[in-house]
Amino acid sequence: MSTIKDVAALAGVSFTTVSHVLNNTRPVSAEARARVLAAVDEIGYLPSAVARSLRRSETKIVGVLVPNVRNPFFAELVVGVEEWCRQAGYSVFLCNSDNDPKHQQAYLRTLLEKRIDGLLLSSAGDADELATTFRHASVPVVTVDRLVPGARADRVSVNNQAGAFAVVRHLLELGHRRIGCVSGPAEFEVTQERVAGWRRALQEQGIVPADSWLIESDFSTAGGYTAVKALLTRQPDLTAVFTGNDLMAMGALRAAAELGRAVPRQLSVVGFDGIELGSYIYPAITSVGCSIRDLGREAGRALIERIENPQAPFKDLQLTPQLVLRESTCAPLSSEQA
């Protein structure tokens, strides 16, 4: 690779003059500036980003750590984050913890060692360890979607309880009364809020859900498939199922088909997040969510604002989700089945 001394030799100036031209740190004659820039173009010199970061105590790089890049939700989220950060002049270093808290901690150490200017995290679990890491982190931290209880960090999320309440209320308005719930891992705040929304919607209609109506799984298609199959086997009188996200709802469609339950005529299925993919499968999934890309943009904006104003009060931003009506819900077959 070419160096600043190579540029100086070709331009016939000192390497300090080259440095002043490239960094605008001191006036240089127009003739010398022209020779330096011509030499830079001729040999393809690229100033060292590492050297610049050491001088300026910044890298213009942010780390983004998500639990599952295979989940379309996080793919759309990262697009929004990257859009906002790019406009602000920052590059994004993306890591995937693969829903493994140990991988998450390893990536956190790597990112912090790389002298990033800020960190955006969607948790893969182990909240206590994360909260401790954040207390000792030397860079600003923002959490998004899967938040970290007790962490001193900005929070950007969807109003999960309101969203779950809205989509379950839709089922109730259709006439369903026995509505099961397939949740994500109970340790996550996002899971607890969505389950709370399901319970509140039922209880407002005087329905107390039995313990057997709720089953826990993970936020994956396979997890939704396995859990819904087990749920309907032990509780076949359920006429509708609320799943913790849209991937789980896709698994629910497969499970229902294998059990001979036509969706939506014999079983209504709803999800959460409103991912674009949910509108292209059959039947398209009724869901609830906000623009995931907008959620990412808001998270990116919160991180850049925190980097630029580290002493500002912490923010807790919640986006309001909207019901997305598609093909996977209808009224139950009869009042006796509801």
Side-chain angles (χ1 to χ4, degrees):
M1 293 179 63
S2 57
T3 69
I4 193 171
K5 291 185 178 180
D6 297 328
V7 175
L10 184 59
V13 299
S14 69
F15 72 85
T16 55
T17 298
V18 175
S19 176
H20 290 315
V21 170
L22 297 179
N23 296 294
N24 291 314
T25 50
R26 197 184 72 185
V28 175
S29 71
E31 187 269 338
R33 176 178 292 274
R35 293 207 312 271
V36 168
L37 295 178
V40 167
D41 287 340
E42 182 175 338
I43 66 177
Y45 171 69
L46 294 174
S48 169
V50 173
R52 287 201 307 268
S53 70
L54 290 172
R55 288 194 301 271
R56 301 177 186 175
S57 297
E58 65 178 18
T59 62
K60 290 293 183 179
I61 297 173
V62 297
V64 177
L65 178 54
V66 298
N68 185 3
V69 293
R70 293 184 297 275
N71 184 334
F73 173 87
F74 291 108
E76 294 180 41
L77 181 79
V78 170
V79 168
V81 172
E82 195 275 336
E83 285 178 350
W84 187 274
C85 291
R86 184 179 66 245
Q87 292 171 5
Y90 288 78
S91 299
V92 170
F93 193 107
L94 175 64
C95 295
N96 172 41
S97 64
D98 206 22
N99 285 306
D100 187 327
K102 291 183 179 179
H103 290 170
Q104 178 174 259
Q105 285 300 126
Y107 275 128
L108 281 174
R109 287 193 298 272
T110 298
L111 288 170
L112 295 174
E113 289 169 0
K114 295 298 182 184
R115 294 177 56 86
I116 57 174
D117 292 340
L119 172 67
L120 186 70
L121 172 81
S122 187
S123 172
D126 202 352
D128 292 341
E129 183 73 21
L130 285 174
T132 300
T133 300
F134 292 170
R135 281 197 297 272
H136 299 291
S138 58
V139 301
V141 177
V142 173
T143 57
V144 59
D145 184 54
R146 297 191 194 175
L147 307 178
V148 182
R152 290 179 53 79
D154 295 293
R155 296 157 52 100
V156 181
S157 63
V158 175
N159 190 326
N160 290 291
Q161 184 171 156
F165 178 86
V167 76
V168 176
R169 182 175 60 185
H170 164 66
L171 293 171
L172 291 164
E173 290 172 348
L174 288 173
H176 294 276
R177 292 295 178 269
R178 292 193 290 274
I179 303 169
C181 177
V182 177
S183 79
E187 67 178 291
F188 292 124
E189 184 176 326
V190 62
T191 294
Q192 297 161 15
E193 292 174 346
R194 293 178 188 181
V195 171
W198 165 72
R199 289 189 185 279
R200 182 162 65 89
L202 293 176
Q203 289 169 353
E204 286 194 6
Q205 295 298 314
I207 302 169
V208 179
D211 291 343
S212 58
W213 290 13
L214 172 65
I215 189 169
E216 179 183 340
S217 188
D218 59 37
F219 288 117
S220 69
T221 306
Y225 164 79
T226 302
V228 170
K229 201 164 188 181
L231 179 65
L232 293 177
T233 298
R234 79 185 188 194
Q235 200 70 50
D237 58 345
L238 296 175
T239 64
V241 175
F242 163 57
T243 62
N245 71 359
D246 290 341
L247 288 184
M248 300 173 86
M250 294 177 191
L253 297 183
R254 176 73 184 190
E258 291 186 3
L259 292 172
R261 301 283 293 271
V263 176
R265 192 171 61 88
Q266 294 174 311
L267 181 74
S268 286
V269 175
V270 297
F272 201 112
D273 288 336
I275 63 175
E276 185 179 6
L277 182 61
S279 64
Y280 290 101
I281 65 172
Y282 184 80
I285 296 171
T286 291
S287 186
V288 64
C290 61
S291 166
I292 303 169
R293 186 174 293 190
D294 285 349
L295 181 66
R297 290 192 190 102
E298 291 294 339
R301 179 167 69 174
L303 182 59
I304 301 306
E305 289 177 352
R306 175 58 56 190
I307 292 170
E308 296 177 348
N309 189 8
Q311 303 306 316
F314 289 114
K315 289 178 291 194
D316 189 353
L317 175 63
Q318 283 194 333
L319 277 63
T320 302
Q322 302 296 320
L323 190 61
V324 183
L325 297 178
R326 295 183 181 136
E327 302 166 341
S328 64
T329 56
C330 71
L333 282 175
S334 68
S335 59
E336 288 78 16
Q337 288 178 295

Short mmCIF file of all heavy atoms in Angstrom, two decimals, residues 57-63 84-85 88-91 115-120 138-142 154 299-312 314-315:
data_model
loop_
_atom_site.label_atom_id
_atom_site.label_comp_id
_atom_site.label_asym_id
_atom_site.label_seq_id
_atom_site.Cartn_x
_atom_site.Cartn_y
_atom_site.Cartn_z
N SER A 57 -9.88 10.93 18.09
CA SER A 57 -10.63 10.20 19.12
C SER A 57 -12.03 9.82 18.63
O SER A 57 -12.99 9.80 19.40
CB SER A 57 -10.73 11.02 20.41
OG SER A 57 -9.45 11.24 20.94
N GLU A 58 -12.16 9.56 17.34
CA GLU A 58 -13.42 9.08 16.78
C GLU A 58 -13.13 8.23 15.56
O GLU A 58 -12.08 8.39 14.91
CB GLU A 58 -14.35 10.23 16.40
CG GLU A 58 -13.82 11.09 15.29
CD GLU A 58 -14.79 12.20 14.89
OE1 GLU A 58 -15.70 12.50 15.69
OE2 GLU A 58 -14.64 12.74 13.80
N THR A 59 -14.02 7.30 15.24
CA THR A 59 -13.84 6.43 14.08
C THR A 59 -14.92 6.60 13.04
O THR A 59 -14.79 6.12 11.93
CB THR A 59 -13.85 4.95 14.53
OG1 THR A 59 -15.13 4.65 15.11
CG2 THR A 59 -12.74 4.66 15.52
N LYS A 60 -16.04 7.26 13.42
CA LYS A 60 -17.21 7.36 12.54
C LYS A 60 -17.74 5.97 12.17
O LYS A 60 -18.27 5.75 11.09
CB LYS A 60 -16.88 8.15 11.26
CG LYS A 60 -16.66 9.63 11.52
CD LYS A 60 -17.95 10.31 11.95
CE LYS A 60 -17.76 11.81 12.13
NZ LYS A 60 -19.03 12.48 12.52
N ILE A 61 -17.58 5.03 13.11
CA ILE A 61 -18.10 3.67 12.95
C ILE A 61 -18.96 3.35 14.17
O ILE A 61 -18.57 3.62 15.30
CB ILE A 61 -16.98 2.63 12.83
CG1 ILE A 61 -16.12 2.89 11.58
CG2 ILE A 61 -17.55 1.21 12.79
CD1 ILE A 61 -14.90 2.01 11.49
N VAL A 62 -20.14 2.78 13.94
CA VAL A 62 -20.98 2.30 15.03
C VAL A 62 -21.15 0.80 14.90
O VAL A 62 -21.19 0.25 13.79
CB VAL A 62 -22.36 3.00 15.05
CG1 VAL A 62 -22.19 4.49 15.30
CG2 VAL A 62 -23.14 2.76 13.77
N GLY A 63 -21.24 0.13 16.03
CA GLY A 63 -21.48 -1.31 16.05
C GLY A 63 -22.97 -1.59 16.20
O GLY A 63 -23.66 -0.93 16.98
N TRP A 84 -29.97 5.75 8.31
CA TRP A 84 -29.82 6.96 9.13
C TRP A 84 -28.35 7.24 9.44
O TRP A 84 -27.89 8.38 9.34
CB TRP A 84 -30.62 6.83 10.43
CG TRP A 84 -30.61 8.13 11.18
CD1 TRP A 84 -29.67 8.58 12.06
CD2 TRP A 84 -31.56 9.18 11.05
NE1 TRP A 84 -29.98 9.83 12.51
CE2 TRP A 84 -31.14 10.24 11.90
CE3 TRP A 84 -32.74 9.34 10.32
CZ2 TRP A 84 -31.85 11.42 12.03
CZ3 TRP A 84 -33.45 10.52 10.46
CH2 TRP A 84 -33.01 11.54 11.29
N CYS A 85 -27.61 6.19 9.80
CA CYS A 85 -26.21 6.38 10.16
C CYS A 85 -25.39 6.85 8.95
O CYS A 85 -24.51 7.71 9.09
CB CYS A 85 -25.63 5.09 10.73
SG CYS A 85 -26.31 4.66 12.36
N ALA A 88 -25.75 10.42 8.42
CA ALA A 88 -25.04 11.19 9.44
C ALA A 88 -23.52 11.06 9.32
O ALA A 88 -22.78 11.64 10.13
CB ALA A 88 -25.48 10.73 10.83
N GLY A 89 -23.05 10.31 8.33
CA GLY A 89 -21.62 10.19 8.10
C GLY A 89 -20.94 9.05 8.84
O GLY A 89 -19.72 9.03 8.97
N TYR A 90 -21.74 8.07 9.30
CA TYR A 90 -21.19 6.93 10.04
C TYR A 90 -21.33 5.64 9.24
O TYR A 90 -22.32 5.45 8.51
CB TYR A 90 -21.91 6.75 11.38
CG TYR A 90 -21.58 7.80 12.41
CD1 TYR A 90 -22.16 9.07 12.35
CD2 TYR A 90 -20.69 7.53 13.44
CE1 TYR A 90 -21.86 10.04 13.29
CE2 TYR A 90 -20.39 8.51 14.39
CZ TYR A 90 -20.98 9.76 14.30
OH TYR A 90 -20.68 10.72 15.23
N SER A 91 -20.36 4.76 9.38
CA SER A 91 -20.44 3.41 8.83
C SER A 91 -20.93 2.45 9.91
O SER A 91 -20.78 2.72 11.11
CB SER A 91 -19.07 2.95 8.32
OG SER A 91 -18.61 3.80 7.28
N ARG A 115 -12.78 0.31 18.92
CA ARG A 115 -12.88 1.76 19.04
C ARG A 115 -14.06 2.32 18.26
O ARG A 115 -13.96 3.34 17.57
CB ARG A 115 -11.58 2.43 18.60
CG ARG A 115 -10.38 2.13 19.47
CD ARG A 115 -9.12 2.77 18.93
NE ARG A 115 -9.27 4.20 18.77
CZ ARG A 115 -9.07 5.09 19.73
NH1 ARG A 115 -8.73 4.67 20.95
NH2 ARG A 115 -9.21 6.37 19.51
N ILE A 116 -15.19 1.64 18.32
CA ILE A 116 -16.40 2.18 17.72
C ILE A 116 -16.85 3.42 18.49
O ILE A 116 -16.48 3.62 19.64
CB ILE A 116 -17.54 1.13 17.71
CG1 ILE A 116 -17.82 0.62 19.13
CG2 ILE A 116 -17.22 0.00 16.75
CD1 ILE A 116 -19.02 -0.30 19.23
N ASP A 117 -17.64 4.26 17.83
CA ASP A 117 -18.13 5.48 18.47
C ASP A 117 -19.42 5.25 19.25
O ASP A 117 -19.79 6.08 20.08
CB ASP A 117 -18.35 6.58 17.43
CG ASP A 117 -17.06 7.08 16.83
OD1 ASP A 117 -15.99 6.87 17.46
OD2 ASP A 117 -17.09 7.66 15.73
N GLY A 118 -20.12 4.17 18.97
CA GLY A 118 -21.37 3.88 19.67
C GLY A 118 -21.83 2.47 19.35
O GLY A 118 -21.37 1.85 18.39
N LEU A 119 -22.76 1.98 20.16
CA LEU A 119 -23.23 0.60 20.03
C LEU A 119 -24.76 0.56 20.05
O LEU A 119 -25.39 1.15 20.93
CB LEU A 119 -22.68 -0.25 21.17
CG LEU A 119 -23.22 -1.68 21.29
CD1 LEU A 119 -22.77 -2.52 20.10
CD2 LEU A 119 -22.77 -2.32 22.60
N LEU A 120 -25.33 -0.16 19.10
CA LEU A 120 -26.77 -0.41 19.06
C LEU A 120 -26.99 -1.90 19.25
O LEU A 120 -26.42 -2.71 18.51
CB LEU A 120 -27.34 0.05 17.71
CG LEU A 120 -28.85 -0.01 17.57
CD1 LEU A 120 -29.51 1.06 18.42
CD2 LEU A 120 -29.25 0.18 16.10
N SER A 138 -17.22 2.24 27.38
CA SER A 138 -16.66 3.58 27.20
C SER A 138 -17.33 4.32 26.05
O SER A 138 -16.91 5.43 25.70
CB SER A 138 -15.16 3.47 26.93
OG SER A 138 -14.92 2.67 25.78
N VAL A 139 -18.37 3.72 25.44
CA VAL A 139 -19.06 4.35 24.32
C VAL A 139 -20.56 4.39 24.61
O VAL A 139 -21.07 3.60 25.42
CB VAL A 139 -18.80 3.60 23.00
CG1 VAL A 139 -17.31 3.57 22.69
CG2 VAL A 139 -19.38 2.19 23.04
N PRO A 140 -21.29 5.29 23.95
CA PRO A 140 -22.75 5.32 24.13
C PRO A 140 -23.40 4.04 23.64
O PRO A 140 -22.96 3.42 22.67
CB PRO A 140 -23.17 6.52 23.27
CG PRO A 140 -21.94 7.34 23.10
CD PRO A 140 -20.81 6.37 23.09
N VAL A 141 -24.50 3.66 24.32
CA VAL A 141 -25.22 2.44 23.98
C VAL A 141 -26.71 2.76 23.84
O VAL A 141 -27.27 3.49 24.64
CB VAL A 141 -25.03 1.36 25.07
CG1 VAL A 141 -25.86 0.11 24.73
CG2 VAL A 141 -23.56 0.99 25.21
N VAL A 142 -27.33 2.20 22.80
CA VAL A 142 -28.78 2.29 22.61
C VAL A 142 -29.31 0.87 22.43
O VAL A 142 -28.71 0.06 21.70
CB VAL A 142 -29.14 3.14 21.38
CG1 VAL A 142 -30.64 3.08 21.07
CG2 VAL A 142 -28.71 4.59 21.59
N ASP A 154 -30.36 4.43 26.17
CA ASP A 154 -31.58 4.83 25.48
C ASP A 154 -32.29 3.58 24.98
O ASP A 154 -31.66 2.56 24.65
CB ASP A 154 -31.22 5.73 24.29
CG ASP A 154 -30.61 7.04 24.73
OD1 ASP A 154 -31.33 7.84 25.35
OD2 ASP A 154 -29.42 7.27 24.44
N ALA A 299 -33.86 4.22 15.87
CA ALA A 299 -32.77 3.70 16.70
C ALA A 299 -31.44 4.30 16.27
O ALA A 299 -30.61 4.67 17.11
CB ALA A 299 -32.73 2.17 16.61
N GLY A 300 -31.23 4.39 14.94
CA GLY A 300 -30.00 5.01 14.45
C GLY A 300 -29.90 6.47 14.85
O GLY A 300 -28.84 6.95 15.26
N ARG A 301 -31.03 7.17 14.77
CA ARG A 301 -31.02 8.58 15.17
C ARG A 301 -30.71 8.73 16.66
O ARG A 301 -29.93 9.60 17.06
CB ARG A 301 -32.37 9.23 14.87
CG ARG A 301 -32.42 10.69 15.30
CD ARG A 301 -33.61 11.42 14.73
NE ARG A 301 -34.87 10.97 15.29
CZ ARG A 301 -36.04 11.56 15.04
NH1 ARG A 301 -36.10 12.58 14.20
NH2 ARG A 301 -37.15 11.10 15.59
N ALA A 302 -31.32 7.86 17.49
CA ALA A 302 -31.06 7.92 18.92
C ALA A 302 -29.59 7.69 19.22
O ALA A 302 -29.01 8.35 20.11
CB ALA A 302 -31.92 6.89 19.65
N LEU A 303 -28.96 6.78 18.49
CA LEU A 303 -27.54 6.49 18.74
C LEU A 303 -26.67 7.67 18.34
O LEU A 303 -25.76 8.06 19.10
CB LEU A 303 -27.12 5.24 17.97
CG LEU A 303 -25.68 4.79 18.18
CD1 LEU A 303 -25.39 4.51 19.65
CD2 LEU A 303 -25.36 3.56 17.33
N ILE A 304 -26.92 8.25 17.17
CA ILE A 304 -26.11 9.39 16.73
C ILE A 304 -26.29 10.58 17.68
O ILE A 304 -25.33 11.27 18.04
CB ILE A 304 -26.45 9.79 15.29
CG1 ILE A 304 -26.22 8.60 14.33
CG2 ILE A 304 -25.61 10.99 14.86
CD1 ILE A 304 -24.85 7.99 14.40
N GLU A 305 -27.53 10.81 18.11
CA GLU A 305 -27.78 11.89 19.06
C GLU A 305 -27.06 11.65 20.39
O GLU A 305 -26.54 12.58 21.00
CB GLU A 305 -29.28 12.07 19.29
CG GLU A 305 -30.01 12.65 18.09
CD GLU A 305 -31.50 12.75 18.31
OE1 GLU A 305 -32.00 12.23 19.34
OE2 GLU A 305 -32.19 13.35 17.46
N ARG A 306 -27.01 10.39 20.82
CA ARG A 306 -26.31 10.06 22.06
C ARG A 306 -24.80 10.27 21.90
O ARG A 306 -24.13 10.74 22.82
CB ARG A 306 -26.62 8.62 22.46
CG ARG A 306 -25.89 8.08 23.66
CD ARG A 306 -26.13 8.89 24.91
NE ARG A 306 -27.55 9.01 25.24
CZ ARG A 306 -28.03 9.82 26.17
NH1 ARG A 306 -27.21 10.58 26.86
NH2 ARG A 306 -29.33 9.87 26.40
N ILE A 307 -24.26 9.90 20.74
CA ILE A 307 -22.83 10.11 20.49
C ILE A 307 -22.50 11.60 20.52
O ILE A 307 -21.49 12.02 21.10
CB ILE A 307 -22.43 9.51 19.12
CG1 ILE A 307 -22.52 7.97 19.16
CG2 ILE A 307 -21.03 9.95 18.70
CD1 ILE A 307 -22.39 7.31 17.80
N GLU A 308 -23.36 12.41 19.90
CA GLU A 308 -23.08 13.84 19.79
C GLU A 308 -23.42 14.60 21.07
O GLU A 308 -22.91 15.70 21.28
CB GLU A 308 -23.85 14.41 18.61
CG GLU A 308 -23.39 13.80 17.27
CD GLU A 308 -24.18 14.29 16.08
OE1 GLU A 308 -25.25 14.92 16.30
OE2 GLU A 308 -23.76 14.04 14.94
N ASN A 309 -24.28 14.03 21.92
CA ASN A 309 -24.66 14.70 23.17
C ASN A 309 -24.73 13.67 24.29
O ASN A 309 -25.81 13.30 24.75
CB ASN A 309 -26.00 15.41 22.99
CG ASN A 309 -26.33 16.30 24.18
OD1 ASN A 309 -25.52 16.50 25.08
ND2 ASN A 309 -27.55 16.82 24.20
N PRO A 310 -23.58 13.17 24.74
CA PRO A 310 -23.56 12.05 25.70
C PRO A 310 -24.16 12.39 27.07
O PRO A 310 -24.49 11.47 27.82
CB PRO A 310 -22.07 11.72 25.82
CG PRO A 310 -21.35 12.93 25.37
CD PRO A 310 -22.22 13.58 24.34
N GLN A 311 -24.32 13.66 27.39
CA GLN A 311 -24.84 14.03 28.71
C GLN A 311 -26.35 14.23 28.71
O GLN A 311 -26.93 14.55 29.76
CB GLN A 311 -24.16 15.32 29.19
CG GLN A 311 -22.64 15.24 29.27
CD GLN A 311 -22.17 14.07 30.12
OE1 GLN A 311 -22.71 13.81 31.19
NE2 GLN A 311 -21.16 13.34 29.63
N ALA A 312 -27.02 14.05 27.58
CA ALA A 312 -28.46 14.26 27.50
C ALA A 312 -29.20 13.21 28.33
O ALA A 312 -28.70 12.09 28.55
CB ALA A 312 -28.93 14.18 26.05
N PHE A 314 -31.57 10.15 29.32
CA PHE A 314 -31.88 8.94 28.57
C PHE A 314 -33.32 9.00 28.05
O PHE A 314 -34.22 9.53 28.71
CB PHE A 314 -31.71 7.69 29.44
CG PHE A 314 -30.27 7.37 29.74
CD1 PHE A 314 -29.78 7.46 31.03
CD2 PHE A 314 -29.42 6.99 28.73
CE1 PHE A 314 -28.45 7.18 31.31
CE2 PHE A 314 -28.08 6.70 28.99
CZ PHE A 314 -27.60 6.80 30.28
N LYS A 315 -33.52 8.44 26.86
CA LYS A 315 -34.82 8.46 26.21
C LYS A 315 -35.40 7.05 26.15
O LYS A 315 -34.67 6.07 26.01
CB LYS A 315 -34.71 9.02 24.79
CG LYS A 315 -34.42 10.51 24.73
CD LYS A 315 -34.26 10.98 23.30
CE LYS A 315 -32.99 10.45 22.68
NZ LYS A 315 -32.62 11.10 21.44
#
